[in-house]
Amino acid sequence: MIKLIASDMDGTLLNDRKELPGDFFEVFDELERRGIKFTVASGRSFDAVAHLFPEEYRTRLDFICDNGANVIHEGKQVSVTPLDRPTFEQLIRACEDIGGLRILVCAGRGTYHLTADAEFSAEIAKYYKNHIPCDDLLSVDDVIYKLAVCDMKGTQQHAKPAIDAIFGDRLNVQVSGPIWMDVMGAGVSKGSALRALGKHLGISADDTMAFGDFYNDADMLKYAGWSFAMENGNPDIKRMTRFLARSNNENGVLRAIRQYAL
């Protein structure tokens, strides 16, 4: 029996216009009535996803944010796994040495970045709120959840191999889109956060449903007994899940929830 549902946002629950399905709150209310927990599982920071939900829902939903580095349960922060300061500083310098990488520092008080040109500003606006421009990323004094790296050459082909070659298993580097990747501490992922949340709630993997479309969802999908890749998702992700959901523009997540959980 499905008791816990986790869904990625971009390319999964949200359509290409970054909108929730029109019937989301109707379905959520019915899940809640039946005692089924719904969790937002995003690479985005909390303030970049929470604004999509009316305030009355924010304490009723759970949020796995920053790919698992920040977890909010019933309106309270229950888990934080920040990047340690020496690793953060080494990572910033490594990105500068690689060249061509644009960096967002996702942290407790907001998202920090250097002065952004029009192209990068447009990319930031798609996914992040509360932008804080600064002159030097190494001067950021905050709890740092992750780095989001934008690479117009392609993260899978360029940025990820370069960072992996330097840091090895000291970091979890996840490609989250064709030109984006997220860098967290080792062991930090949506999957590890969902596993911990399930343990806290007393819900097993067999009773957990998860939806995703890209590599940063892989660990979460491997964990969930009911794993769904989106029809619009990456081919590698489609091959690793038990089920295929209709595309994000066809309300695939809620269609599957209605069919299998309700």
Side-chain angles (χ1 to χ4, degrees):
M1 179 186 295
I2 296 166
K3 300 177 182 177
L4 173 62
I5 301 172
S7 177
D8 173 51
M9 294 293 281
D10 298 290
T12 301
L13 183 61
L14 303 181
N15 63 24
D16 287 348
R17 297 184 299 277
K18 308 299 182 186
E19 299 167 337
L20 284 168
D23 56 343
F24 174 80
F25 296 103
E26 173 191 335
V27 171
F28 175 81
D29 289 342
E30 180 60 20
L31 289 171
E32 191 176 55
R33 191 183 72 78
R34 298 192 189 196
I36 301 171
K37 295 290 292 183
F38 188 92
T39 302
V40 172
S42 180
R44 298 200 211 182
S45 298
F46 176 72
D47 59 4
V49 289
H51 74 96
L52 294 165
F53 304 93
E55 192 167 349
E56 64 181 282
Y57 281 89
R58 293 178 199 172
T59 56
R60 295 158 60 189
L61 288 155
D62 289 337
F63 293 86
I64 294 172
C65 298
D66 293 299
N67 280 326
N70 181 25
V71 180
I72 311 293
H73 172 58
E74 296 181 348
K76 297 180 181 179
Q77 188 179 55
V78 295
S79 174
V80 178
T81 314
L83 281 169
D84 65 81
R85 190 73 199 186
T87 301
F88 164 70
E89 293 180 0
Q90 185 184 359
L91 183 56
I92 292 292
R93 293 190 180 99
C95 288
E96 291 173 348
D97 290 342
I98 292 167
L101 307 183
R102 294 159 170 177
I103 303 167
L104 295 178
V105 178
C106 302
R109 292 191 294 274
T111 303
Y112 301 83
H113 58 84
L114 301 178
T115 301
D117 58 27
E119 182 181 43
F120 189 37
S121 294
E123 282 296 318
I124 295 171
K126 292 178 185 177
Y127 306 107
Y128 292 94
K129 304 291 181 184
N130 192 19
H131 313 156
I132 306 174
C134 63
D135 295 327
D136 180 8
L137 294 177
L138 290 174
S139 70
V140 171
D141 183 15
D142 205 337
V143 178
I144 297 162
Y145 301 139
K146 69 165 190 179
L147 259 60
V149 178
C150 182
D151 182 0
M152 295 299 178
K153 295 179 182 178
T155 50
Q156 184 75 16
Q157 299 79 22
H158 181 236
K160 186 181 189 307
I163 293 297
D164 283 342
I166 297 168
F167 290 91
D169 59 5
R170 292 168 53 199
L171 295 172
N172 182 12
V173 182
Q174 292 290 333
V175 174
S176 53
I179 61 170
W180 283 98
M181 73 179 190
D182 293 328
V183 186
M184 295 77 61
V188 177
S189 70
K190 292 183 184 181
S192 62
L194 183 60
R195 189 177 298 111
L197 183 61
K199 184 177 181 180
H200 175 77
L201 296 170
I203 298 172
S204 71
D206 289 342
D207 296 329
T208 300
M209 172 186 267
F211 297 86
D213 72 315
F214 225 80
Y215 292 110
N216 61 324
D217 301 315
D219 197 31
M220 174 174 74
L221 296 171
K222 289 176 184 175
Y223 169 75
W226 297 76
S227 58
F228 287 77
M230 306 306 293
E231 192 172 50
N232 56 286
N234 179 278
D236 291 340
I237 300 303
K238 291 182 187 180
R239 283 191 285 269
M240 64 175 287
T241 58
R242 288 182 61 195
F243 302 97
L244 187 67
R246 299 278 287 273
S247 80
N248 65 316
N249 289 322
E250 298 176 282
N251 201 4
V253 171
L254 297 194
R255 285 175 182 264
I257 288 174
R258 287 182 184 278
Q259 180 177 352
Y260 292 97
L262 299 180

